[in-house]
């Protein structure tokens, strides 16, 4: 292990600055980006259209290596795949690939654990262990895309962690994903999901345009305070305003996610209150029936309750979908990721036992 920085922790702008410091033309930085992300070179020496001096300069300043080691993989009966990755410090994270007709969505982790302690989320019970570095975020995409013959079409930051609690590294990773000379993924295919760190939503919007998903989960502060402690700092009105002002890509709308918890936030009154709250705001709503994850003290509402909740919202003219739970049998669905927990798995699930609770 050297003290040299992993070059994949640098954003396109950082590499441009490095090139400028070395007296190089800006196109050299773009060439390096292409080698790293489009040709996925395994070493600087493979970058044959760079001069020997430049390759040596890169070698002496940076390391080029994969930040993740695959330590487990589970496949759900519905085709969802969950990957367990080891980090260099021994921590573990999870990445989930959700194949659907016409799109393969990759659900990426942004932190080891999460500090925000939402009461319905298994990751929240772990607490925050640390932020992921840009290379650890990007390598989730590079590796899973490679394992699946380049078939990943969309990325959602809905894995472990609160992406906006790791804003600087998130922005670097987003710029690597979207830069034309790097991964070149369209902003329309990338979604950042947040529990509602209002000032950070504004900061993110000053840096990039991507899709925004906001975990709302309650239409009134008194209820949201109880299930999402962050609401005490940034109440619903401020959150809705920041979300509505966020620069999503053209012809896209911000999305509000709403995890339905039986008997807690799924009543008809809650649906009417939510409809009123979102009146006049361009948005989509995604209803997520609670994914059961022991030891969380909630349960999933009946199908009828979910449909009734949707019907009421639709009567307000809101575009509302029910998210199908994917990968529940491998604890790969929303809110079920807690790879840092020690193995305590039932017999027969040994391959990724670290991911089981
Ligand atoms: N920290 C970010 C992103 C990760 S959580 C956020 O909170 O938005 C991704 C989504 O999973 C969020 O919308 C969250 O509300 C939802 N979620 C958390 N626990 C869940 C559970 N047990 N069942 C269903 N959805 C859950
Ligand atoms: Fe963290 Fe999001 Fe889970 Fe809340 S729902 S604890 S913010 S990962």
């Amino acid at each position: 292990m050297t003290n040299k920085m992993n070059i994949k922790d640098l954003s396109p702008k950082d590499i441009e600055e490095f090139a400028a410091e070395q007296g190089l033309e800006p196109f050299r930085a773009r060439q390096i980006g292409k080698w790293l992300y489009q040709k996925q070179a395994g070493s600087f020496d493979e970058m044959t259209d760079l001069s020997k001096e430049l390759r040596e300069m890169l070698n002496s300043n940076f390391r080029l290596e994969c930040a993740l080691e695959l330590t487990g993989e589970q496949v759900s009966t519905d085709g969802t795949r969950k990957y367990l990755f080891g980090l260099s410090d021994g921590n573990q994270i999870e990445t989930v690939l959700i194949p659907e007709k016409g799109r393969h969505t990759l659900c990426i982790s942004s932190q080891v654990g999460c500090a925000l302690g939402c009461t319905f989320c298994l990751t929240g019970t772990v607490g925050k262990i640390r932020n992921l570095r840009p290379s650890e975020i990007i390598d989730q995409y590079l590796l899973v895309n490679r394992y699946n013959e380049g078939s990943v079409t969309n990325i959602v930051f809905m894995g472990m962690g609160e992406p906006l609690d790791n804003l600087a590294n998130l922005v670097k990773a987003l710029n690597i994903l979207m830069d034309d000379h790097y991964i070149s993924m369209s902003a329309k295919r990338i979604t950042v999901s947040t529990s509602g760190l209002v000032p950070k939503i504004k900061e993110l919007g000053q840096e990039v345009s991507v899709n925004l998903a906001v975990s709302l989960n309650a239409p009134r502060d008194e209820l949201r305070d109880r299930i999402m402690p962050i609401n005490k700092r940034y109440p619903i009105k401020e959150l809705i305003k920041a979300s509505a002002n966020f620069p999503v890509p053209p012809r896209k709308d911000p999305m509000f996610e709403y995890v339905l918890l039986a008997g807690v936030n799924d009543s008809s009154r809650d649906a009417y209150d939510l409809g009123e709250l979102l009146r006049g705001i361009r948005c989509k709503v995604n209803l997520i029936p609670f994914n059961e994850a022991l030891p969380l003290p909630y349960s999933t509402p009946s199908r009828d309750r979910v449909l009734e909740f949707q019907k009421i919202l639709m009567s307000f003219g809101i575009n509302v979908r029910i998210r199908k739970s994917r990968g529940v049998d491998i604890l790969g669905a929303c809110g079920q990721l807690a790879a840092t927990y020690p193995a305590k798995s039932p017999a027969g699930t040994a391959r990724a036992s670290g991911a089981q609770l």
Side-chain angles (χ1 to χ4, degrees):
M1 182 81 183
T2 71
N3 290 326
K4 284 187 280 185
M5 198 173 188
N6 186 338
I7 194 163
K8 285 191 269 180
D9 285 325
L10 267 57
S11 69
K13 203 164 130 235
D14 296 332
I15 295 192
E16 224 168 83
E17 279 169 16
F18 170 79
E21 276 163 22
Q22 306 294 326
L24 300 168
E25 303 277 342
F27 81 92
R28 290 287 175 207
R30 297 197 287 271
Q31 259 178 323
I32 296 171
K34 272 203 174 129
W35 274 111
L36 291 174
Y37 297 104
Q38 296 184 5
K39 302 184 204 168
Q40 293 191 38
S43 73
F44 295 118
D45 297 326
E46 287 171 37
M47 304 183 176
T48 44
D49 58 1
L50 304 182
S51 67
K52 196 150 178 285
E53 291 78 33
L54 176 51
R55 279 182 268 155
E56 270 164 19
M57 194 199 300
L58 290 170
N59 263 321
S60 56
N61 281 280
F62 303 108
R63 34 192 185 97
L64 169 49
E65 63 190 24
C66 186
L68 307 176
E69 187 194 343
L70 182 68
T71 48
E73 180 184 347
Q74 286 177 292
V75 185
S76 161
T77 50
D78 67 19
T80 301
R81 284 171 183 269
K82 182 165 83 170
Y83 298 90
L84 190 65
F85 290 114
L87 310 177
S88 58
D89 62 1
N91 279 306
Q92 305 209 81
I93 53 165
E94 292 172 342
T95 308
V96 180
L97 180 69
I98 307 155
E100 289 169 300
K101 242 203 207 131
R103 68 158 70 181
H104 281 194
T105 304
L106 188 66
C107 181
I108 282 190
S109 292
S110 55
Q111 297 179 312
V112 185
C114 178
L116 298 185
C118 304
T119 56
F120 47 82
C121 173
L122 201 55
T123 312
T125 65
V126 176
K128 175 171 159 184
I129 296 172
R130 73 166 172 89
N131 286 331
L132 293 187
R133 289 190 287 271
S135 56
E136 293 165 332
I137 296 175
I138 287 296
D139 275 337
Q140 294 175 62
Y141 165 77
L142 293 177
L143 288 181
V144 178
N145 195 39
R146 195 181 307 154
Y147 301 153
N148 292 277
E149 289 82 40
S151 67
V152 173
T153 57
N154 294 61
I155 291 182
V156 294
F157 285 82
M158 294 184 189
M160 293 169 65
E162 167 53 49
L164 297 192
D165 187 30
N166 185 15
L167 188 71
N169 291 347
L170 172 75
V171 168
K172 280 183 200 275
L174 288 173
N175 282 323
I176 293 170
L177 285 170
M178 294 193 290
D179 189 291
D180 283 348
H181 301 282
Y182 287 59
I183 293 172
S184 191
M185 182 176 269
S186 160
K188 291 186 182 175
R189 296 184 174 275
I190 301 176
T191 301
V192 172
S193 178
T194 178
S195 59
L197 301 180
V198 169
K200 303 281 181 183
I201 293 176
K202 293 179 191 160
E203 276 180 54
L204 179 68
Q206 284 158 5
E207 298 278 351
V208 291
S209 164
V210 283
N211 292 303
L212 183 73
V214 173
S215 302
L216 190 55
N217 300 334
R220 297 177 304 280
D221 283 321
E222 130 285 312
L223 175 56
R224 196 165 188 269
D225 282 352
R226 270 192 281 141
I227 57 176
M228 301 184 71
I230 189 67
N231 195 64
K232 293 180 195 143
R233 249 198 288 164
Y234 307 115
I236 292 175
K237 268 226 165 73
E238 287 177 30
L239 176 56
I240 304 266
K241 194 167 153 217
S243 314
N245 289 333
F246 188 82
V248 288
R251 292 181 298 284
K252 294 282 188 173
D253 293 321
M255 178 167 87
F256 292 105
E257 295 162 287
Y258 195 103
V259 178
L260 287 162
L261 310 167
V264 176
N265 66 354
D266 66 339
S267 69
S268 298
R269 176 192 165 203
D270 295 328
Y272 281 110
D273 284 354
L274 185 60
E276 287 295 344
L277 182 69
L278 298 179
R279 199 187 274 287
I281 291 170
R282 291 194 47 167
C283 65
K284 288 185 294 193
V285 170
N286 221 315
L287 299 176
I288 316 173
F290 174 66
N291 294 313
E292 312 241 341
L294 287 170
L296 303 175
Y298 297 106
S299 58
T300 315
S302 69
R303 187 73 190 159
D304 284 352
R305 186 89 291 274
V306 175
L307 291 174
E308 177 64 17
F309 200 97
Q310 180 188 36
K311 208 169 110 197
I312 295 171
L313 286 179
M314 283 164 71
S315 74
F316 285 82
I318 295 173
N319 174 355
V320 44
R321 300 225 168 142
I322 301 169
R323 188 181 300 168
K324 254 207 257 146
S325 274
R326 303 288 306 257
V328 176
D329 54 339
I330 53 167
L331 284 185
C334 290
Q336 293 186 317
L337 305 183
T340 46
Y341 263 38
K344 235 199 243 169
S345 59
T349 54
R351 232 184 130 195
S353 58
Q356 298 282 340
L357 240 193

